[in-house]
Amino acid sequence: MKKSVFFGALAIAGLTAGVATAQSTLEQVQERGTLQCGSNEGLAGFAAPDANGNWEGFDVALCRAIATAVLGDPQAVEFVPLTSQTRFTALAAGEVDVLVRNSTWTFSRDTDLGLDFKGVNYYDGQAFMVRSDLGVSSALELDGATVCIQTGTTTELNLADFFRVNNMSYEPVPVATNAEGQQQYLAGACDVYTTDMSALAATRATFENVDEHVILPEIVSKEPLGPVVRHGDNEWGDIVGWTLMGLVAAEEFGVTSANVRELAEAPTDNPQLNRMLGTSGDFGPMIGLSNDWLVNVIAAVGNYGEIFEENIGENTPVGLARGLNALWTEGGLQYAMPFN
Amino acid sequence: MSDTHAQSAAFVRREMVPPAAPPPGEVGPLRWVRENLMSSWFNAILTVVSLYLIFMILSDILPWTLNGIWNAGSLSECREIRNARELESAACWAVINERWLQLLFGFYPTDDRLLASWFYAEELAAAGGMEAVFGLAADSTARIEFVGEMKRSLGNLTLFFFGYWRPLLALVLLVVAVAPVLYGSLPRKMLLFSLAYPFIAVFLLWGGSVWGPVTVAAGLVAAILVGRVVGGLWGMLIGLLSAIAAFLFIFFNPLGIIGVQGLFPILPHVVGMLDQIMPIGLPAIDSDDFGGFMLAIIIGTSGIVLSLPLGIVLALGRQSDMPLIRWICVSFIEVIRGVPLIVWLFTASLLLNYFLPPGTDFDLLLRVIIMVTLFASAYLAEVIRGGLAALPKGQYEAADSLGLDYWKSMQLVILPQALKISIPGIVNTFIGLFKDTTLVVFIGLRDPLGLTNAIRATGEWNGIYWELYIFVALLFFTFCFFMSRYSMYLERKLATDHR
């Protein structure tokens, strides 16, 4: 049904018409023809629109991967920008099908809020940035510092914990957004700016004199960021989770956007890869998708490593090293469950 | 007698002395300066200090503004150019130059087919023709690359005039539709167009089948006609009830309560039929794609247009003698006004979904417009009540003594005066409403301020602030200043009391 003001008004008729039958998320997405992906309003490297309004970024790529898996079209995504306050409510209320908005996987969010985290696409952690002329080389030397801190995030709590555990005091300068924090820090309102390492690196990269600022080596918290779905629709959760697994596994097996079509033409020597790419077995239909779902995904967005390098890797302005996000075979934490 | 004078006075002036030029200090700019700036030694000191302050501020801002760099691809490029020119500070207007379309229209799609066939025909042919690029079966990634390439080569001005012709045309027609309402000297027949305009605007902005808006308009007219005809035959009350019944049967499914489906509402059946006979329409565009300043104008103007009548009704209802109506109006006003707008917006965007049946797709933009309208109408009701209260009781009694019924006395005597008194307050509310549209950023609509955030998130423009904020501020200022000037014009025009 076309969505326009009037037809929107007509939807009120549904109130009198009684309760419609509930559909699964997969059916809803397929019927609608687009995936509604809750995304950041703008975070360097993770989600940002170019001049033509096309969204790009690390989180955006995962949305596109899910859309390709379900609908076969990486462009069939509606990005719904959500603030940190509204993101979980919007997901719970069904405004979005999946939330990929650098959200930290925590106990209470996973249980109490009725949400399911389906993996970790970026292992982040909280860090500190200071001016290099302060001569500080460790976060343990920050006693008595003024700290710019984003309110309402997990970082606020981590900061308090870190300073209390180390018997130090600090004076918080609350800011609402990363942009505001950046400005306050540059204006000298605080000695230290603290937020997730990835955001900190992206912020530092935009400074005029990058060398005048250092990011301290301590990482004071675990911030595993990942895609989130609602409790209760496990089939949909499987699709989201295994799309992410597929991207990581593809990197592990050396499948790239360039060679995936070739590898998918005929069975290879690697039986797990064959099952992934649908040249043997029926793994696609097991999650309600076509057998070549992962082939389309990798062809469209690339494997995990490609997505990383393209959006936040060392050759981009954000310039993040793989670190924890390297494959488990290379000393990182990215580990895909077997396709068996 | 004249002789005596001739002997006693040595000189008699026979013509008037020509007026002498005033002393140099009492004329022209010098006098103005002395009277206004240097009237005492204290004022003179104040003037000098103020001038120094103004100079200080301008000497910082003006070079920054005027030396601004207009052509660069990123903030770091801007900085390089600035250093190459050996400037101390320079605005990086390049971000506006590159992104002004986005700030105006958000992610509203351009008419790519039109652009491609008019300005990019050769490349379109090389890419395999219209259907190969834009058809349903076409590869969407390839299409986006093609469109990106096309937009880079066309330039923003071409995109503005031809890519965004739908919102632009809607805006131009808005001016045409609003003009007869604002200026009484224009022919009254233009008001017919003003009535039709909402439907035209919806069709232009959202697209889809032309029959949607047409049949909605026809349905409304039909409901009113039914009411008129029936009311003429059997009296006003039955007429009103039958109009409401007709409205319900056309737009809703009142029989749904007893389980009858399919027959009603009538509207979709008619639209479907007309669509089959004569499919005319524009590509449909989702509300999610609306953004930028366009969003502020859409929410602002619909809120303003809808809240004024609602506010008047509420104000009258609050003063009504009928307790039930008075209680309803008072509680509505107090509840809506007593809660912050942002809470209502959150209610509209998040809570409403819990109450609607699952799967209902109730347009977010429409929800926001409804909430903003209700909010503004509660404020307007109080402003207008102030106007009503300011009228002397004699005016009410005079209207009654003429034998006018309630509606006529309101329409002819009370409201024209009350509204005139309330003009500054009403416009004040409107300006507030227009600026409040930026609050929708919190519920995920992309207003201009939200877009500045998104633009700043790109690698190229991360770290840029003032330029974007100044641009947005100028846009809002232009609109609010026009509204304020118009209200002053209106007050002067309607001034009858020679104060």
Side-chain angles (χ1 to χ4, degrees):
Chain A
M1 186 97 195
K2 275 178 229 106
K3 198 160 65 169
S4 75
V5 169
F6 291 110
F7 290 101
L10 288 179
I12 303 172
L15 277 176
T16 50
V19 179
T21 48
Q23 281 178 312
S24 78
T25 313
L26 178 62
E27 283 166 355
Q28 281 178 22
V29 172
Q30 281 170 338
E31 192 185 311
R32 199 190 304 126
T34 55
L35 174 79
Q36 287 181 331
C37 194
S39 69
N40 205 305
E41 322 95 299
L43 179 66
F46 286 82
D50 71 0
N52 295 325
N54 301 318
W55 285 78
E56 293 163 347
F58 188 72
D59 280 351
V60 168
L62 183 55
C63 289
R64 294 205 190 280
I66 298 166
T68 317
V70 179
L71 302 162
D73 182 357
Q75 310 299 338
V77 193
E78 266 176 60
F79 292 100
V80 181
L82 298 170
T83 61
S84 51
Q85 290 93 358
T86 58
R87 52 186 164 177
F88 299 120
T89 332
L91 179 64
E95 296 264 315
V96 295
D97 303 314
V98 57
L99 179 74
V100 192
R101 191 203 173 280
N102 57 310
S103 303
T104 307
W105 188 347
T106 67
F107 180 88
S108 58
R109 287 173 180 176
D110 207 356
T111 56
D112 193 30
L113 289 185
L115 306 174
D116 267 342
F117 284 77
K118 298 312 297 185
V120 177
N121 69 335
Y122 189 85
Y123 288 97
D124 214 336
Q126 189 179 345
F128 299 96
M129 176 164 64
V130 294
R131 251 170 269 278
S132 41
D133 56 16
L134 281 182
V136 175
S137 59
S138 156
L140 296 170
E141 299 166 26
L142 289 176
D143 196 11
T146 50
V147 185
C148 281
I149 175 79
Q150 284 184 51
T151 51
T153 59
T154 46
T155 53
E156 202 177 14
L157 200 64
N158 300 332
L159 176 75
D161 287 351
F162 175 76
F163 274 76
R164 194 180 324 113
V165 165
N166 291 301
N167 265 330
M168 301 192 297
S169 66
Y170 70 100
E171 199 175 319
V173 178
V175 296
T177 60
N178 185 41
E180 195 189 332
Q182 200 169 336
Q183 193 70 331
Q184 293 280 24
Y185 170 75
L186 279 182
C190 48
D191 308 321
V192 187
Y193 181 39
T194 179
T195 184
D196 285 351
M197 180 69 192
S198 58
L200 218 49
T203 303
R204 180 171 171 266
T206 66
F207 289 169
E208 238 191 304
N209 304 307
V210 176
D211 301 334
E212 288 177 12
H213 307 270
V214 285
I215 295 177
L216 300 176
E218 282 86 355
I219 303 285
V220 300
S221 74
K222 289 183 283 191
E223 308 280 348
L225 314 177
V228 200
V229 297
R230 280 181 293 280
H231 259 187
D233 191 345
N234 296 359
E235 287 77 18
W236 177 247
D238 288 344
I239 293 174
V240 172
W242 282 97
T243 305
L244 177 57
M245 299 270 192
L247 295 175
V248 177
E251 191 190 3
E252 189 179 332
F253 296 138
V255 186
T256 64
S257 54
N259 68 10
V260 61
R261 294 269 180 222
E262 200 183 315
L263 288 171
E265 266 169 19
T268 61
D269 308 338
N270 183 343
Q272 221 187 115
L273 182 60
N274 294 346
R275 285 189 289 271
M276 258 173 69
L277 300 183
T279 45
S280 75
D282 275 330
F283 274 37
M286 286 185 201
I287 51 172
L289 302 175
S290 67
N291 221 2
D292 61 348
W293 63 290
L294 207 48
V295 180
N296 297 332
V297 169
I298 297 165
V301 300
N303 65 32
Y304 181 83
E306 286 178 276
I307 296 172
F308 193 101
E309 289 310 323
E310 191 185 332
N311 294 299
I312 51 179
E314 284 179 320
N315 297 323
T316 64
V318 182
L320 293 170
R322 283 296 287 270
L324 285 178
N325 296 291
L327 291 179
W328 64 287
T329 48
E330 288 158 25
L333 291 176
Q334 288 295 350
Y335 180 100
M337 311 309 154
F339 277 72
N340 279 336
Chain B
M1 285 196 27
S2 59
D3 291 341
T4 27
H5 263 293
Q7 280 136 27
S8 59
F11 170 73
V12 175
R13 181 171 285 285
R14 293 185 187 279
E15 66 280 346
M16 292 292 287
V17 181
E26 292 293 338
V27 74
L30 212 60
R31 175 180 172 198
W32 186 90
V33 166
R34 218 185 60 195
E35 278 191 355
N36 292 294
L37 301 180
M38 313 272 182
S39 56
S40 70
W41 62 267
F42 182 68
N43 285 352
I45 292 174
L46 277 186
T47 302
V48 171
V49 171
S50 318
L51 281 179
Y52 178 71
L53 278 179
I54 292 172
F55 170 78
M56 287 292 288
I57 294 169
L58 284 187
S59 64
D60 261 0
I61 293 176
L62 278 186
W64 180 82
T65 315
L66 299 177
N67 287 333
I69 291 150
W70 285 92
N71 287 307
S74 68
L75 182 59
S76 46
E77 241 177 78
C78 257
R79 287 172 178 157
E80 278 165 27
I81 295 174
R82 184 196 61 192
N83 293 343
R85 288 198 206 153
E86 299 184 349
L87 296 169
E88 201 166 294
S89 71
C92 188
W93 300 117
V95 63
I96 309 293
N97 198 7
E98 188 190 296
R99 297 294 180 107
W100 59 279
L101 285 176
Q102 214 163 61
L103 285 168
L104 289 183
F105 298 105
F107 299 119
Y108 195 85
T110 46
D111 193 340
D112 295 328
R113 282 166 180 262
L114 179 112
L115 287 171
S117 55
W118 282 18
F119 302 100
Y120 213 58
E122 285 171 28
E123 287 84 347
L124 183 66
M130 190 64 86
E131 282 312 305
V133 179
F134 293 106
L136 281 176
D139 179 2
S140 53
T141 311
R143 178 175 70 232
I144 281 179
E145 274 165 21
F146 177 85
V147 168
E149 202 54 46
M150 174 173 78
K151 286 186 177 171
R152 263 188 292 282
S153 71
L154 289 185
N156 277 348
L157 269 183
T158 319
L159 290 184
F160 177 69
F161 284 112
F162 298 98
Y164 292 105
W165 66 271
R166 281 165 62 175
L168 272 191
L169 185 61
L171 181 67
V172 170
L173 292 180
L174 172 70
V175 174
V176 177
V178 165
V181 182
L182 296 188
Y183 298 102
S185 56
L186 291 167
R188 294 294 87 193
K189 276 189 182 160
M190 281 174 76
L191 283 172
L192 281 178
F193 178 75
S194 308
L195 279 180
Y197 176 75
F199 303 98
I200 299 173
V202 165
F203 173 61
L204 277 175
L205 291 172
W206 277 270
S209 162
V210 72
W211 299 115
V214 167
T215 45
V216 169
L220 287 176
V221 172
I224 293 170
L225 278 182
V226 167
R228 280 268 169 106
V229 170
V230 176
L233 288 177
W234 290 295
M236 191 164 154
L237 186 68
I238 300 178
L240 188 69
L241 288 179
S242 58
I244 292 174
F247 178 80
L248 285 178
F249 278 108
I250 293 172
F251 292 100
F252 299 101
N253 183 10
L255 298 184
I257 304 166
I258 54 167
V260 182
Q261 301 282 346
L263 189 56
F264 297 109
I266 299 171
L267 195 82
H269 296 297
V270 180
V271 173
M273 214 165 64
L274 285 169
D275 257 343
Q276 279 186 343
I277 300 169
M278 225 191 306
I280 309 174
L282 291 169
I285 292 169
D286 269 353
S287 297
D288 307 343
D289 297 328
F290 285 54
F293 203 59
M294 184 176 106
L295 192 68
I297 295 182
I298 291 175
I299 299 175
T301 43
S302 1
I304 286 170
V305 168
L306 297 172
S307 66
L308 186 58
L310 198 58
I312 294 175
V313 170
L314 283 171
L316 292 178
R318 193 169 183 162
Q319 297 218 316
S320 164
D321 295 332
M322 288 177 267
L324 188 65
I325 289 183
R326 192 172 63 235
W327 291 336
I328 291 174
C329 289
V330 168
S331 39
F332 177 89
I333 292 171
E334 296 302 338
V335 169
I336 295 276
R337 206 173 48 146
V339 178
L341 177 58
I342 188 75
V343 174
W344 290 119
L345 291 179
F346 277 132
T347 312
S349 86
L350 299 173
L351 286 180
L352 223 53
N353 259 28
Y354 286 111
F355 300 118
L356 295 174
T360 316
D361 218 353
F362 190 6
D363 198 284
L364 180 61
L365 187 51
L366 182 65
R367 285 186 251 168
V368 167
I369 289 177
I370 292 174
M371 279 303 175
V372 168
T373 304
L374 294 183
F375 192 76
S377 65
Y379 272 88
L380 273 181
E382 288 300 279
V383 169
I384 293 166
R385 191 169 69 94
L388 290 173
L391 281 194
K393 198 156 178 261
Q395 294 292 327
Y396 291 88
E397 289 165 353
D400 287 345
S401 70
L402 284 174
L404 299 176
D405 66 8
Y406 177 77
W407 292 110
K408 282 230 168 69
S409 71
M410 286 300 145
Q411 191 189 336
L412 298 174
V413 180
I414 307 299
L415 278 181
Q417 301 182 66
L419 288 180
K420 193 185 83 183
I421 304 174
S422 323
I423 287 172
I426 292 175
V427 175
N428 199 18
T429 313
F430 284 166
I431 289 180
L433 160 74
F434 189 65
K435 288 186 298 180
D436 279 350
T437 57
T438 51
L439 284 179
V440 298
V441 70
F442 292 111
I443 56 165
L445 290 177
R446 292 176 172 116
D447 89 307
L449 282 179
L451 283 167
T452 63
N453 245 343
I455 291 172
R456 214 180 292 117
T458 55
E460 298 91 56
W461 302 116
N462 196 338
I464 204 159
Y465 299 90
W466 292 106
E467 292 83 346
L468 289 169
Y469 286 141
I470 289 173
F471 184 71
V472 173
L474 277 179
L475 287 177
F476 272 101
F477 179 79
T478 315
F479 260 72
C480 295
F481 190 65
F482 167 77
M483 280 196 255
S484 135
R485 287 281 122 178
Y486 175 74
S487 96
M488 285 162 78
Y489 155 84
L490 204 59
E491 277 173 64
R492 272 198 309 276
K493 201 186 94 176
L494 299 178
T496 49
D497 46 1
H498 311 291
R499 245 181 265 183

